[in-house]
mmCIF file of all heavy atoms in Angstrom:
data_model
loop_
_atom_site.group_PDB
_atom_site.id
_atom_site.type_symbol
_atom_site.label_atom_id
_atom_site.label_comp_id
_atom_site.label_asym_id
_atom_site.label_seq_id
_atom_site.Cartn_x
_atom_site.Cartn_y
_atom_site.Cartn_z
ATOM 1 N N THR A 45 85.183 92.589 305.761
ATOM 2 C CA THR A 45 85.897 92.168 306.964
ATOM 3 C C THR A 45 85.560 90.738 307.326
ATOM 4 O O THR A 45 86.444 89.924 307.620
ATOM 5 C CB THR A 45 85.546 93.104 308.141
ATOM 6 O OG1 THR A 45 85.912 94.435 307.821
ATOM 7 C CG2 THR A 45 86.280 92.677 309.405
ATOM 8 N N ARG A 46 84.272 90.409 307.311
ATOM 9 C CA ARG A 46 83.833 89.067 307.702
ATOM 10 C C ARG A 46 84.333 87.995 306.730
ATOM 11 O O ARG A 46 84.542 86.853 307.110
ATOM 12 C CB ARG A 46 82.305 89.020 307.782
ATOM 13 C CG ARG A 46 81.768 87.799 308.528
ATOM 14 C CD ARG A 46 80.249 87.773 308.578
ATOM 15 N NE ARG A 46 79.670 87.479 307.285
ATOM 16 C CZ ARG A 46 78.743 88.210 306.698
ATOM 17 N NH1 ARG A 46 78.315 89.308 307.266
ATOM 18 N NH2 ARG A 46 78.246 87.865 305.525
ATOM 19 N N ASN A 47 84.524 88.375 305.469
ATOM 20 C CA ASN A 47 84.946 87.407 304.465
ATOM 21 C C ASN A 47 86.449 87.430 304.209
ATOM 22 O O ASN A 47 86.929 86.807 303.260
ATOM 23 C CB ASN A 47 84.190 87.647 303.149
ATOM 24 C CG ASN A 47 82.752 87.181 303.232
ATOM 25 O OD1 ASN A 47 82.458 86.027 302.936
ATOM 26 N ND2 ASN A 47 81.848 88.049 303.665
ATOM 27 N N GLY A 48 87.189 88.162 305.033
ATOM 28 C CA GLY A 48 88.647 88.164 304.905
ATOM 29 C C GLY A 48 89.157 88.831 303.651
ATOM 30 O O GLY A 48 90.229 88.484 303.143
ATOM 31 N N ILE A 49 88.417 89.803 303.118
ATOM 32 C CA ILE A 49 88.800 90.507 301.887
ATOM 33 C C ILE A 49 89.352 91.881 302.265
ATOM 34 O O ILE A 49 88.862 92.527 303.192
ATOM 35 C CB ILE A 49 87.593 90.657 300.947
ATOM 36 C CG1 ILE A 49 86.990 89.281 300.644
ATOM 37 C CG2 ILE A 49 87.997 91.353 299.652
ATOM 38 C CD1 ILE A 49 85.693 89.353 299.857
ATOM 39 N N ASP A 50 90.362 92.316 301.546
ATOM 40 C CA ASP A 50 90.992 93.607 301.818
ATOM 41 C C ASP A 50 89.965 94.729 301.704
ATOM 42 O O ASP A 50 89.452 95.016 300.633
ATOM 43 C CB ASP A 50 92.137 93.840 300.830
ATOM 44 C CG ASP A 50 92.869 95.158 301.083
ATOM 45 O OD1 ASP A 50 92.581 95.809 302.111
ATOM 46 O OD2 ASP A 50 93.723 95.530 300.257
ATOM 47 N N ARG A 51 89.661 95.356 302.836
ATOM 48 C CA ARG A 51 88.653 96.421 302.823
ATOM 49 C C ARG A 51 89.261 97.785 302.645
ATOM 50 O O ARG A 51 88.564 98.802 302.739
ATOM 51 C CB ARG A 51 87.795 96.385 304.085
ATOM 52 C CG ARG A 51 88.533 96.656 305.394
ATOM 53 C CD ARG A 51 88.859 95.366 306.096
ATOM 54 N NE ARG A 51 89.327 95.581 307.455
ATOM 55 C CZ ARG A 51 90.147 94.742 308.070
ATOM 56 N NH1 ARG A 51 90.612 93.694 307.433
ATOM 57 N NH2 ARG A 51 90.513 94.950 309.306
ATOM 58 N N TYR A 52 90.576 97.842 302.414
ATOM 59 C CA TYR A 52 91.245 99.137 302.227
ATOM 60 C C TYR A 52 91.684 99.350 300.780
ATOM 61 O O TYR A 52 92.441 100.269 300.491
ATOM 62 C CB TYR A 52 92.455 99.250 303.161
ATOM 63 C CG TYR A 52 92.101 99.035 304.610
ATOM 64 C CD1 TYR A 52 92.635 97.981 305.325
ATOM 65 C CD2 TYR A 52 91.209 99.882 305.257
ATOM 66 C CE1 TYR A 52 92.299 97.767 306.662
ATOM 67 C CE2 TYR A 52 90.871 99.689 306.589
ATOM 68 C CZ TYR A 52 91.418 98.628 307.283
ATOM 69 O OH TYR A 52 91.078 98.421 308.597
ATOM 70 N N ASP A 53 91.228 98.498 299.868
ATOM 71 C CA ASP A 53 91.542 98.636 298.449
ATOM 72 C C ASP A 53 90.471 99.524 297.819
ATOM 73 O O ASP A 53 89.331 99.092 297.658
ATOM 74 C CB ASP A 53 91.559 97.258 297.793
ATOM 75 C CG ASP A 53 91.892 97.317 296.311
ATOM 76 O OD1 ASP A 53 91.844 98.417 295.728
ATOM 77 O OD2 ASP A 53 92.186 96.260 295.725
ATOM 78 N N PRO A 54 90.791 100.772 297.465
ATOM 79 C CA PRO A 54 89.766 101.689 296.957
ATOM 80 C C PRO A 54 89.049 101.163 295.713
ATOM 81 O O PRO A 54 87.828 101.314 295.597
ATOM 82 C CB PRO A 54 90.554 102.964 296.642
ATOM 83 C CG PRO A 54 91.763 102.892 297.514
ATOM 84 C CD PRO A 54 92.110 101.431 297.593
ATOM 85 N N ALA A 55 89.799 100.535 294.794
ATOM 86 C CA ALA A 55 89.181 100.049 293.550
ATOM 87 C C ALA A 55 88.173 98.944 293.859
ATOM 88 O O ALA A 55 87.072 98.918 293.297
ATOM 89 C CB ALA A 55 90.257 99.545 292.593
ATOM 90 N N ARG A 56 88.549 98.022 294.740
ATOM 91 C CA ARG A 56 87.633 96.937 295.096
ATOM 92 C C ARG A 56 86.409 97.502 295.829
ATOM 93 O O ARG A 56 85.274 97.106 295.564
ATOM 94 C CB ARG A 56 88.321 95.898 295.971
ATOM 95 C CG ARG A 56 87.364 94.791 296.432
ATOM 96 C CD ARG A 56 88.023 93.777 297.340
ATOM 97 N NE ARG A 56 88.876 92.866 296.582
ATOM 98 C CZ ARG A 56 90.195 92.833 296.658
ATOM 99 N NH1 ARG A 56 90.828 93.648 297.481
ATOM 100 N NH2 ARG A 56 90.897 91.982 295.936
ATOM 101 N N PHE A 57 86.652 98.403 296.756
ATOM 102 C CA PHE A 57 85.541 98.997 297.503
ATOM 103 C C PHE A 57 84.569 99.693 296.552
ATOM 104 O O PHE A 57 83.343 99.591 296.692
ATOM 105 C CB PHE A 57 86.083 99.992 298.530
ATOM 106 C CG PHE A 57 85.131 100.283 299.659
ATOM 107 C CD1 PHE A 57 85.219 99.582 300.845
ATOM 108 C CD2 PHE A 57 84.151 101.263 299.536
ATOM 109 C CE1 PHE A 57 84.345 99.848 301.900
ATOM 110 C CE2 PHE A 57 83.277 101.531 300.573
ATOM 111 C CZ PHE A 57 83.369 100.829 301.756
ATOM 112 N N LEU A 58 85.116 100.376 295.550
ATOM 113 C CA LEU A 58 84.270 101.064 294.576
ATOM 114 C C LEU A 58 83.486 100.063 293.737
ATOM 115 O O LEU A 58 82.310 100.298 293.427
ATOM 116 C CB LEU A 58 85.134 101.948 293.670
ATOM 117 C CG LEU A 58 84.388 102.768 292.613
ATOM 118 C CD1 LEU A 58 83.383 103.712 293.275
ATOM 119 C CD2 LEU A 58 85.371 103.554 291.754
ATOM 120 N N ASP A 59 84.106 98.946 293.373
ATOM 121 C CA ASP A 59 83.397 97.904 292.623
ATOM 122 C C ASP A 59 82.170 97.418 293.397
ATOM 123 O O ASP A 59 81.076 97.275 292.832
ATOM 124 C CB ASP A 59 84.326 96.723 292.339
ATOM 125 C CG ASP A 59 85.324 97.012 291.235
ATOM 126 O OD1 ASP A 59 85.110 97.987 290.482
ATOM 127 O OD2 ASP A 59 86.320 96.282 291.127
ATOM 128 N N TYR A 60 82.362 97.153 294.687
ATOM 129 C CA TYR A 60 81.240 96.695 295.523
ATOM 130 C C TYR A 60 80.161 97.774 295.614
ATOM 131 O O TYR A 60 78.956 97.483 295.547
ATOM 132 C CB TYR A 60 81.739 96.343 296.925
ATOM 133 C CG TYR A 60 82.257 94.928 297.051
ATOM 134 C CD1 TYR A 60 83.509 94.570 296.563
ATOM 135 C CD2 TYR A 60 81.485 93.939 297.656
ATOM 136 C CE1 TYR A 60 83.989 93.277 296.678
ATOM 137 C CE2 TYR A 60 81.956 92.635 297.782
ATOM 138 C CZ TYR A 60 83.211 92.310 297.292
ATOM 139 O OH TYR A 60 83.685 91.025 297.398
ATOM 140 N N LYS A 61 80.593 98.996 295.748
ATOM 141 C CA LYS A 61 79.640 100.093 295.921
ATOM 142 C C LYS A 61 78.793 100.297 294.661
ATOM 143 O O LYS A 61 77.577 100.500 294.734
ATOM 144 C CB LYS A 61 80.410 101.361 296.258
ATOM 145 C CG LYS A 61 79.585 102.411 296.985
ATOM 146 C CD LYS A 61 80.503 103.428 297.621
ATOM 147 C CE LYS A 61 79.732 104.431 298.441
ATOM 148 N NZ LYS A 61 80.624 105.390 299.121
ATOM 149 N N LEU A 62 79.438 100.242 293.505
ATOM 150 C CA LEU A 62 78.708 100.411 292.249
ATOM 151 C C LEU A 62 77.807 99.210 291.976
ATOM 152 O O LEU A 62 76.734 99.357 291.366
ATOM 153 C CB LEU A 62 79.686 100.621 291.098
ATOM 154 C CG LEU A 62 80.495 101.927 291.160
ATOM 155 C CD1 LEU A 62 81.460 102.016 289.982
ATOM 156 C CD2 LEU A 62 79.567 103.139 291.187
ATOM 157 N N GLU A 63 78.220 98.028 292.421
ATOM 158 C CA GLU A 63 77.361 96.849 292.285
ATOM 159 C C GLU A 63 76.088 97.022 293.111
ATOM 160 O O GLU A 63 74.986 96.700 292.657
ATOM 161 C CB GLU A 63 78.121 95.595 292.738
ATOM 162 C CG GLU A 63 77.286 94.325 292.728
ATOM 163 C CD GLU A 63 76.776 93.954 291.354
ATOM 164 O OE1 GLU A 63 77.493 94.186 290.365
ATOM 165 O OE2 GLU A 63 75.649 93.431 291.265
ATOM 166 N N LEU A 64 76.231 97.536 294.336
ATOM 167 C CA LEU A 64 75.055 97.754 295.178
ATOM 168 C C LEU A 64 74.187 98.883 294.617
ATOM 169 O O LEU A 64 72.957 98.832 294.729
ATOM 170 C CB LEU A 64 75.482 98.075 296.606
ATOM 171 C CG LEU A 64 76.201 96.947 297.351
ATOM 172 C CD1 LEU A 64 76.293 97.272 298.838
ATOM 173 C CD2 LEU A 64 75.515 95.610 297.154
ATOM 174 N N LEU A 65 74.814 99.889 294.006
ATOM 175 C CA LEU A 65 74.041 100.937 293.351
ATOM 176 C C LEU A 65 73.178 100.334 292.245
ATOM 177 O O LEU A 65 71.998 100.675 292.097
ATOM 178 C CB LEU A 65 74.981 101.998 292.770
ATOM 179 C CG LEU A 65 74.328 103.050 291.864
ATOM 180 C CD1 LEU A 65 73.310 103.878 292.635
ATOM 181 C CD2 LEU A 65 75.387 103.955 291.232
ATOM 182 N N GLN A 66 73.770 99.439 291.468
ATOM 183 C CA GLN A 66 73.025 98.804 290.385
ATOM 184 C C GLN A 66 71.856 97.983 290.932
ATOM 185 O O GLN A 66 70.757 97.985 290.366
ATOM 186 C CB GLN A 66 73.964 97.908 289.559
ATOM 187 C CG GLN A 66 73.310 97.345 288.311
ATOM 188 C CD GLN A 66 74.305 96.754 287.338
ATOM 189 O OE1 GLN A 66 74.297 97.068 286.158
ATOM 190 N NE2 GLN A 66 75.159 95.871 287.821
ATOM 191 N N MET A 67 72.072 97.290 292.053
ATOM 192 C CA MET A 67 70.999 96.496 292.647
ATOM 193 C C MET A 67 69.884 97.395 293.181
ATOM 194 O O MET A 67 68.698 97.052 293.075
ATOM 195 C CB MET A 67 71.556 95.621 293.768
ATOM 196 C CG MET A 67 72.497 94.528 293.294
ATOM 197 S SD MET A 67 71.791 93.433 292.032
ATOM 198 C CE MET A 67 70.558 92.551 292.978
ATOM 199 N N LEU A 68 70.232 98.537 293.747
ATOM 200 C CA LEU A 68 69.212 99.475 294.231
ATOM 201 C C LEU A 68 68.392 100.035 293.068
ATOM 202 O O LEU A 68 67.167 100.179 293.167
ATOM 203 C CB LEU A 68 69.867 100.608 295.014
ATOM 204 C CG LEU A 68 70.441 100.240 296.388
ATOM 205 C CD1 LEU A 68 71.247 101.403 296.952
ATOM 206 C CD2 LEU A 68 69.342 99.836 297.353
ATOM 207 N N LEU A 69 69.078 100.342 291.971
ATOM 208 C CA LEU A 69 68.360 100.822 290.792
ATOM 209 C C LEU A 69 67.498 99.727 290.177
ATOM 210 O O LEU A 69 66.451 100.008 289.582
ATOM 211 C CB LEU A 69 69.355 101.348 289.750
ATOM 212 C CG LEU A 69 70.009 102.692 290.057
ATOM 213 C CD1 LEU A 69 71.139 102.975 289.072
ATOM 214 C CD2 LEU A 69 68.972 103.815 290.023
ATOM 215 N N PHE A 70 67.925 98.493 290.330
ATOM 216 C CA PHE A 70 67.184 97.353 289.788
ATOM 217 C C PHE A 70 65.868 97.144 290.541
ATOM 218 O O PHE A 70 64.829 96.849 289.937
ATOM 219 C CB PHE A 70 68.048 96.101 289.870
ATOM 220 C CG PHE A 70 67.405 94.868 289.302
ATOM 221 C CD1 PHE A 70 67.033 94.800 287.968
ATOM 222 C CD2 PHE A 70 67.169 93.767 290.101
ATOM 223 C CE1 PHE A 70 66.434 93.663 287.445
ATOM 224 C CE2 PHE A 70 66.586 92.615 289.586
ATOM 225 C CZ PHE A 70 66.211 92.570 288.257
ATOM 226 N N CYS A 71 65.908 97.302 291.871
ATOM 227 C CA CYS A 71 64.697 97.031 292.649
ATOM 228 C C CYS A 71 63.834 98.276 292.862
ATOM 229 O O CYS A 71 62.661 98.154 293.236
ATOM 230 C CB CYS A 71 65.059 96.402 293.996
ATOM 231 S SG CYS A 71 65.822 97.514 295.200
ATOM 232 N N LEU A 72 64.391 99.453 292.618
ATOM 233 C CA LEU A 72 63.667 100.696 292.883
ATOM 234 C C LEU A 72 62.298 100.768 292.203
ATOM 235 O O LEU A 72 61.284 101.038 292.866
ATOM 236 C CB LEU A 72 64.534 101.894 292.476
ATOM 237 C CG LEU A 72 63.889 103.270 292.585
ATOM 238 C CD1 LEU A 72 63.618 103.617 294.045
ATOM 239 C CD2 LEU A 72 64.786 104.332 291.942
ATOM 240 N N PRO A 73 62.183 100.537 290.877
ATOM 241 C CA PRO A 73 60.874 100.662 290.232
ATOM 242 C C PRO A 73 59.883 99.587 290.678
ATOM 243 O O PRO A 73 58.673 99.731 290.445
ATOM 244 C CB PRO A 73 61.202 100.500 288.734
ATOM 245 C CG PRO A 73 62.673 100.688 288.626
ATOM 246 C CD PRO A 73 63.241 100.209 289.913
ATOM 247 N N ARG A 74 60.377 98.519 291.308
ATOM 248 C CA ARG A 74 59.507 97.444 291.765
ATOM 249 C C ARG A 74 58.893 97.749 293.137
ATOM 250 O O ARG A 74 58.016 97.023 293.593
ATOM 251 C CB ARG A 74 60.305 96.134 291.847
ATOM 252 C CG ARG A 74 60.955 95.734 290.520
ATOM 253 C CD ARG A 74 62.041 94.693 290.702
ATOM 254 N NE ARG A 74 62.641 94.341 289.423
ATOM 255 C CZ ARG A 74 62.691 93.095 288.944
ATOM 256 N NH1 ARG A 74 62.207 92.089 289.637
ATOM 257 N NH2 ARG A 74 63.250 92.860 287.772
ATOM 258 N N PHE A 75 59.406 98.785 293.774
ATOM 259 C CA PHE A 75 58.925 99.140 295.106
ATOM 260 C C PHE A 75 57.617 99.911 295.014
ATOM 261 O O PHE A 75 57.492 100.848 294.225
ATOM 262 C CB PHE A 75 59.985 99.996 295.818
ATOM 263 C CG PHE A 75 59.584 100.469 297.181
ATOM 264 C CD1 PHE A 75 59.465 99.570 298.232
ATOM 265 C CD2 PHE A 75 59.329 101.814 297.414
ATOM 266 C CE1 PHE A 75 59.097 100.006 299.504
ATOM 267 C CE2 PHE A 75 58.969 102.263 298.671
ATOM 268 C CZ PHE A 75 58.846 101.352 299.716
ATOM 269 N N ASP A 76 56.642 99.520 295.821
ATOM 270 C CA ASP A 76 55.335 100.167 295.836
ATOM 271 C C ASP A 76 55.275 101.126 297.025
ATOM 272 O O ASP A 76 55.200 100.691 298.180
ATOM 273 C CB ASP A 76 54.229 99.118 295.961
ATOM 274 C CG ASP A 76 52.842 99.735 295.889
ATOM 275 O OD1 ASP A 76 52.742 100.977 295.772
ATOM 276 O OD2 ASP A 76 51.856 98.986 295.957
ATOM 277 N N PRO A 77 55.308 102.432 296.779
ATOM 278 C CA PRO A 77 55.298 103.406 297.879
ATOM 279 C C PRO A 77 54.033 103.337 298.721
ATOM 280 O O PRO A 77 54.016 103.789 299.865
ATOM 281 C CB PRO A 77 55.393 104.760 297.167
ATOM 282 C CG PRO A 77 55.880 104.452 295.794
ATOM 283 C CD PRO A 77 55.371 103.086 295.472
ATOM 284 N N ALA A 78 52.952 102.768 298.163
ATOM 285 C CA ALA A 78 51.688 102.714 298.893
ATOM 286 C C ALA A 78 51.728 101.697 300.028
ATOM 287 O O ALA A 78 50.957 101.786 300.988
ATOM 288 C CB ALA A 78 50.545 102.375 297.927
ATOM 289 N N GLN A 79 52.608 100.726 299.921
ATOM 290 C CA GLN A 79 52.721 99.717 300.964
ATOM 291 C C GLN A 79 53.495 100.266 302.153
ATOM 292 O O GLN A 79 54.434 101.049 301.996
ATOM 293 C CB GLN A 79 53.401 98.459 300.426
ATOM 294 C CG GLN A 79 52.603 97.736 299.353
ATOM 295 C CD GLN A 79 53.254 96.441 298.934
ATOM 296 O OE1 GLN A 79 54.304 96.076 299.436
ATOM 297 N NE2 GLN A 79 52.615 95.743 298.020
ATOM 298 N N GLU A 80 53.124 99.835 303.339
ATOM 299 C CA GLU A 80 53.788 100.305 304.559
ATOM 300 C C GLU A 80 55.019 99.453 304.843
ATOM 301 O O GLU A 80 55.130 98.801 305.881
ATOM 302 C CB GLU A 80 52.812 100.280 305.733
ATOM 303 C CG GLU A 80 51.653 101.244 305.571
ATOM 304 C CD GLU A 80 50.741 101.258 306.779
ATOM 305 O OE1 GLU A 80 51.034 100.532 307.747
ATOM 306 O OE2 GLU A 80 49.739 101.991 306.750
ATOM 307 N N THR A 81 55.943 99.459 303.901
ATOM 308 C CA THR A 81 57.192 98.705 304.027
ATOM 309 C C THR A 81 58.354 99.651 303.798
ATOM 310 O O THR A 81 58.354 100.423 302.832
ATOM 311 C CB THR A 81 57.255 97.565 302.989
ATOM 312 O OG1 THR A 81 56.140 96.702 303.156
ATOM 313 C CG2 THR A 81 58.544 96.771 303.158
ATOM 314 N N GLU A 82 59.327 99.608 304.685
ATOM 315 C CA GLU A 82 60.504 100.439 304.497
ATOM 316 C C GLU A 82 61.275 99.968 303.268
ATOM 317 O O GLU A 82 61.416 98.761 303.046
ATOM 318 C CB GLU A 82 61.410 100.368 305.732
ATOM 319 C CG GLU A 82 60.803 100.989 306.976
ATOM 320 C CD GLU A 82 61.749 100.896 308.157
ATOM 321 O OE1 GLU A 82 62.946 100.594 307.938
ATOM 322 O OE2 GLU A 82 61.301 101.120 309.296
ATOM 323 N N PHE A 83 61.775 100.914 302.498
ATOM 324 C CA PHE A 83 62.472 100.557 301.267
ATOM 325 C C PHE A 83 63.694 99.684 301.546
ATOM 326 O O PHE A 83 63.964 98.732 300.819
ATOM 327 C CB PHE A 83 62.898 101.822 300.517
ATOM 328 C CG PHE A 83 63.740 101.546 299.308
ATOM 329 C CD1 PHE A 83 63.199 100.937 298.189
ATOM 330 C CD2 PHE A 83 65.100 101.873 299.292
ATOM 331 C CE1 PHE A 83 63.977 100.664 297.065
ATOM 332 C CE2 PHE A 83 65.875 101.617 298.173
ATOM 333 C CZ PHE A 83 65.322 101.007 297.068
ATOM 334 N N LEU A 84 64.441 99.992 302.607
ATOM 335 C CA LEU A 84 65.654 99.225 302.883
ATOM 336 C C LEU A 84 65.342 97.786 303.280
ATOM 337 O O LEU A 84 66.125 96.874 303.003
ATOM 338 C CB LEU A 84 66.475 99.916 303.969
ATOM 339 C CG LEU A 84 67.141 101.220 303.532
ATOM 340 C CD1 LEU A 84 67.894 101.856 304.687
ATOM 341 C CD2 LEU A 84 68.086 100.983 302.354
ATOM 342 N N LYS A 85 64.216 97.565 303.934
ATOM 343 C CA LYS A 85 63.810 96.195 304.237
ATOM 344 C C LYS A 85 63.425 95.472 302.949
ATOM 345 O O LYS A 85 63.724 94.286 302.771
ATOM 346 C CB LYS A 85 62.647 96.192 305.221
ATOM 347 C CG LYS A 85 63.039 96.621 306.622
ATOM 348 C CD LYS A 85 61.864 96.533 307.586
ATOM 349 C CE LYS A 85 62.304 96.910 309.001
ATOM 350 N NZ LYS A 85 61.178 96.854 309.967
ATOM 351 N N TYR A 86 62.746 96.201 302.060
ATOM 352 C CA TYR A 86 62.386 95.624 300.771
ATOM 353 C C TYR A 86 63.631 95.312 299.947
ATOM 354 O O TYR A 86 63.712 94.283 299.266
ATOM 355 C CB TYR A 86 61.491 96.606 300.007
ATOM 356 C CG TYR A 86 61.196 96.199 298.581
ATOM 357 C CD1 TYR A 86 60.218 95.255 298.299
ATOM 358 C CD2 TYR A 86 61.904 96.755 297.516
ATOM 359 C CE1 TYR A 86 59.940 94.875 296.995
ATOM 360 C CE2 TYR A 86 61.629 96.389 296.214
ATOM 361 C CZ TYR A 86 60.660 95.445 295.963
ATOM 362 O OH TYR A 86 60.399 95.066 294.666
ATOM 363 N N ALA A 87 64.637 96.198 300.016
ATOM 364 C CA ALA A 87 65.837 96.065 299.179
ATOM 365 C C ALA A 87 66.891 95.149 299.789
ATOM 366 O O ALA A 87 67.904 94.863 299.136
ATOM 367 C CB ALA A 87 66.449 97.439 298.931
ATOM 368 N N LYS A 88 66.686 94.671 301.015
ATOM 369 C CA LYS A 88 67.719 93.913 301.713
ATOM 370 C C LYS A 88 68.185 92.702 300.909
ATOM 371 O O LYS A 88 69.383 92.452 300.769
ATOM 372 C CB LYS A 88 67.202 93.465 303.079
ATOM 373 C CG LYS A 88 68.224 92.684 303.893
ATOM 374 C CD LYS A 88 67.688 92.335 305.267
ATOM 375 C CE LYS A 88 68.726 91.570 306.068
ATOM 376 N NZ LYS A 88 68.238 91.228 307.428
ATOM 377 N N HIS A 89 67.258 91.945 300.346
ATOM 378 C CA HIS A 89 67.613 90.756 299.573
ATOM 379 C C HIS A 89 68.460 91.130 298.349
ATOM 380 O O HIS A 89 69.435 90.444 298.024
ATOM 381 C CB HIS A 89 66.353 90.014 299.139
ATOM 382 C CG HIS A 89 66.613 88.845 298.240
ATOM 383 N ND1 HIS A 89 67.134 87.654 298.697
ATOM 384 C CD2 HIS A 89 66.474 88.693 296.896
ATOM 385 C CE1 HIS A 89 67.283 86.810 297.685
ATOM 386 N NE2 HIS A 89 66.882 87.415 296.580
#
């Protein structure tokens, strides 16, 4: 919405969603559960 991109295109929305899934899988093994940091704050970048 903020970038003026069609947010009702299912294929585009799915592309973004799968890209974010890949990024979550990319950072997941790097996360240290022993640290007192929320995963979503760690994964924000």
Side-chain angles (χ1 to χ4, degrees):
T45 300
R46 195 181 71 232
N47 286 271
I49 304 173
D50 182 8
R51 64 261 191 208
Y52 305 117
D53 180 346
R56 176 182 284 111
F57 201 95
L58 182 60
D59 285 344
Y60 274 77
K61 203 164 184 177
L62 294 179
E63 176 62 35
L64 295 193
L65 171 63
Q66 187 166 231
M67 293 305 291
L68 289 171
L69 286 170
F70 182 61
C71 72
L72 175 67
R74 303 163 180 237
F75 178 69
D76 184 358
Q79 295 185 0
E80 295 183 1
T81 302
E82 293 180 14
F83 174 69
L84 289 178
K85 289 183 177 179
Y86 173 80
K88 181 177 181 179
H89 175 74

